[in-house]
Amino acid sequence: MKKLSLRTRVLTGAVAAAALGAGTFGAMSANASTPAAAPAAAVAADTANRHLQQTTHLTVAAATKAAQATLDAAEKENQRVSVAVVDRNGNTVVTLRGDGAGPQSYESAVKKAYTAVSWNAPTSELAKRLEQAPNLKDIPGTLFLAGGAPVQVKGAPVAGIGVAGAPSGDLDEKFAKAGVATLAK
């Protein structure tokens, strides 16, 4: 049997180490992208922890469905609006700007959605509260005009839909409620 030179042995070892390293890295990458199931004991301990709270959130697909239904309702009445759907925390999940919607409608729709989910009430009702508490309008990110509707699960807000751009807040809110109704189906 022929003895390999030192150079050949070093190169062969380096190639083997590189192949092993690449295989290990690939396995680690695969494991990192697929989370392992939590041990049953850990799950039981977490559910017993009274310092944790579970919340319900709309999926992006559901938020998009609601936004599109809202926009479709407005288009049926030849209204050019923008629609925003925010999550329970007021973060924007999806926005749609209808053809011909005014430049101000985008930001107004987001603020109406945020306001509706923050107070778990249609923004038309909240606008009435300004008579007793005019400083409410000073809260950052809010807009107390009709056109926002909360999305509720068991009475708790999980999202808000805001619409802006129609000639009246009543129309904006009508379209927002059409989006909410789509989620109930």
PDB file of all heavy atoms in Angstrom, residues 4 49 55 87 102 110 124 132 135 177 179-180:
ATOM      1  N   LEU A   4       0.634   8.017   1.694  1.00  0.00           N
ATOM      2  CA  LEU A   4       0.297   9.349   1.188  1.00  0.00           C
ATOM      3  C   LEU A   4       1.260  10.379   1.746  1.00  0.00           C
ATOM      4  O   LEU A   4       1.706  10.286   2.893  1.00  0.00           O
ATOM      5  CB  LEU A   4      -1.130   9.722   1.586  1.00  0.00           C
ATOM      6  CG  LEU A   4      -2.254   8.834   1.049  1.00  0.00           C
ATOM      7  CD1 LEU A   4      -3.586   9.272   1.637  1.00  0.00           C
ATOM      8  CD2 LEU A   4      -2.321   8.892  -0.462  1.00  0.00           C
ATOM      9  N   ASN A  49     -48.561  29.664  34.914  1.00  0.00           N
ATOM     10  CA  ASN A  49     -47.991  30.935  35.320  1.00  0.00           C
ATOM     11  C   ASN A  49     -49.036  32.034  35.197  1.00  0.00           C
ATOM     12  O   ASN A  49     -49.518  32.343  34.117  1.00  0.00           O
ATOM     13  CB  ASN A  49     -46.765  31.259  34.463  1.00  0.00           C
ATOM     14  CG  ASN A  49     -46.014  32.466  34.972  1.00  0.00           C
ATOM     15  OD1 ASN A  49     -46.557  33.325  35.660  1.00  0.00           O
ATOM     16  ND2 ASN A  49     -44.751  32.524  34.629  1.00  0.00           N
ATOM     17  N   THR A  55     -53.443  36.385  24.058  1.00  0.00           N
ATOM     18  CA  THR A  55     -54.267  37.320  23.311  1.00  0.00           C
ATOM     19  C   THR A  55     -54.608  36.712  21.954  1.00  0.00           C
ATOM     20  O   THR A  55     -53.952  35.784  21.496  1.00  0.00           O
ATOM     21  CB  THR A  55     -53.557  38.663  23.095  1.00  0.00           C
ATOM     22  OG1 THR A  55     -52.345  38.439  22.377  1.00  0.00           O
ATOM     23  CG2 THR A  55     -53.255  39.352  24.410  1.00  0.00           C
ATOM     24  N   ASP A  87     -53.838  45.888  14.431  1.00  0.00           N
ATOM     25  CA  ASP A  87     -54.008  44.811  15.403  1.00  0.00           C
ATOM     26  C   ASP A  87     -54.390  45.375  16.760  1.00  0.00           C
ATOM     27  O   ASP A  87     -54.576  46.585  16.924  1.00  0.00           O
ATOM     28  CB  ASP A  87     -52.749  43.939  15.484  1.00  0.00           C
ATOM     29  CG  ASP A  87     -51.529  44.647  16.051  1.00  0.00           C
ATOM     30  OD1 ASP A  87     -51.647  45.756  16.624  1.00  0.00           O
ATOM     31  OD2 ASP A  87     -50.426  44.080  15.919  1.00  0.00           O
ATOM     32  N   GLY A 102     -58.084  60.402  -1.721  1.00  0.00           N
ATOM     33  CA  GLY A 102     -57.294  61.591  -1.423  1.00  0.00           C
ATOM     34  C   GLY A 102     -56.049  61.273  -0.620  1.00  0.00           C
ATOM     35  O   GLY A 102     -55.995  60.267   0.093  1.00  0.00           O
ATOM     36  N   VAL A 110     -55.767  55.069   9.159  1.00  0.00           N
ATOM     37  CA  VAL A 110     -54.943  54.423  10.186  1.00  0.00           C
ATOM     38  C   VAL A 110     -55.319  54.945  11.575  1.00  0.00           C
ATOM     39  O   VAL A 110     -55.489  54.176  12.518  1.00  0.00           O
ATOM     40  CB  VAL A 110     -53.437  54.630   9.903  1.00  0.00           C
ATOM     41  CG1 VAL A 110     -52.591  54.145  11.074  1.00  0.00           C
ATOM     42  CG2 VAL A 110     -53.023  53.923   8.616  1.00  0.00           C
ATOM     43  N   SER A 124     -67.600  56.903  15.723  1.00  0.00           N
ATOM     44  CA  SER A 124     -68.727  57.847  15.760  1.00  0.00           C
ATOM     45  C   SER A 124     -69.214  58.023  17.199  1.00  0.00           C
ATOM     46  O   SER A 124     -69.555  59.132  17.612  1.00  0.00           O
ATOM     47  CB  SER A 124     -69.874  57.366  14.867  1.00  0.00           C
ATOM     48  OG  SER A 124     -70.345  56.106  15.300  1.00  0.00           O
ATOM     49  N   GLN A 132     -68.032  65.923  26.438  1.00  0.00           N
ATOM     50  CA  GLN A 132     -67.754  65.851  27.874  1.00  0.00           C
ATOM     51  C   GLN A 132     -66.257  65.887  28.187  1.00  0.00           C
ATOM     52  O   GLN A 132     -65.864  66.295  29.272  1.00  0.00           O
ATOM     53  CB  GLN A 132     -68.348  64.568  28.495  1.00  0.00           C
ATOM     54  CG  GLN A 132     -69.854  64.533  28.575  1.00  0.00           C
ATOM     55  CD  GLN A 132     -70.492  64.143  27.247  1.00  0.00           C
ATOM     56  OE1 GLN A 132     -69.926  63.377  26.492  1.00  0.00           O
ATOM     57  NE2 GLN A 132     -71.665  64.700  26.973  1.00  0.00           N
ATOM     58  N   ASN A 135     -60.433  67.008  25.753  1.00  0.00           N
ATOM     59  CA  ASN A 135     -58.991  66.717  25.697  1.00  0.00           C
ATOM     60  C   ASN A 135     -58.685  65.351  25.093  1.00  0.00           C
ATOM     61  O   ASN A 135     -57.524  65.061  24.793  1.00  0.00           O
ATOM     62  CB  ASN A 135     -58.369  66.813  27.087  1.00  0.00           C
ATOM     63  CG  ASN A 135     -58.334  68.244  27.586  1.00  0.00           C
ATOM     64  OD1 ASN A 135     -58.494  69.188  26.814  1.00  0.00           O
ATOM     65  ND2 ASN A 135     -58.136  68.400  28.878  1.00  0.00           N
ATOM     66  N   LYS A 177     -67.706  48.839   8.891  1.00  0.00           N
ATOM     67  CA  LYS A 177     -68.549  47.785   9.472  1.00  0.00           C
ATOM     68  C   LYS A 177     -68.760  46.646   8.487  1.00  0.00           C
ATOM     69  O   LYS A 177     -68.915  45.485   8.906  1.00  0.00           O
ATOM     70  CB  LYS A 177     -69.865  48.369   9.969  1.00  0.00           C
ATOM     71  CG  LYS A 177     -69.681  49.198  11.220  1.00  0.00           C
ATOM     72  CD  LYS A 177     -70.987  49.791  11.722  1.00  0.00           C
ATOM     73  CE  LYS A 177     -70.765  50.575  13.007  1.00  0.00           C
ATOM     74  NZ  LYS A 177     -72.017  51.161  13.518  1.00  0.00           N
ATOM     75  N   GLY A 179     -66.460  45.552   6.525  1.00  0.00           N
ATOM     76  CA  GLY A 179     -65.246  44.746   6.698  1.00  0.00           C
ATOM     77  C   GLY A 179     -65.307  43.896   7.951  1.00  0.00           C
ATOM     78  O   GLY A 179     -64.912  42.718   7.934  1.00  0.00           O
ATOM     79  N   VAL A 180     -65.817  44.463   9.033  1.00  0.00           N
ATOM     80  CA  VAL A 180     -65.977  43.713  10.289  1.00  0.00           C
ATOM     81  C   VAL A 180     -66.934  42.529  10.058  1.00  0.00           C
ATOM     82  O   VAL A 180     -66.673  41.418  10.498  1.00  0.00           O
ATOM     83  CB  VAL A 180     -66.483  44.619  11.427  1.00  0.00           C
ATOM     84  CG1 VAL A 180     -66.812  43.786  12.672  1.00  0.00           C
ATOM     85  CG2 VAL A 180     -65.441  45.689  11.756  1.00  0.00           C
TER      86      VAL A 180
END
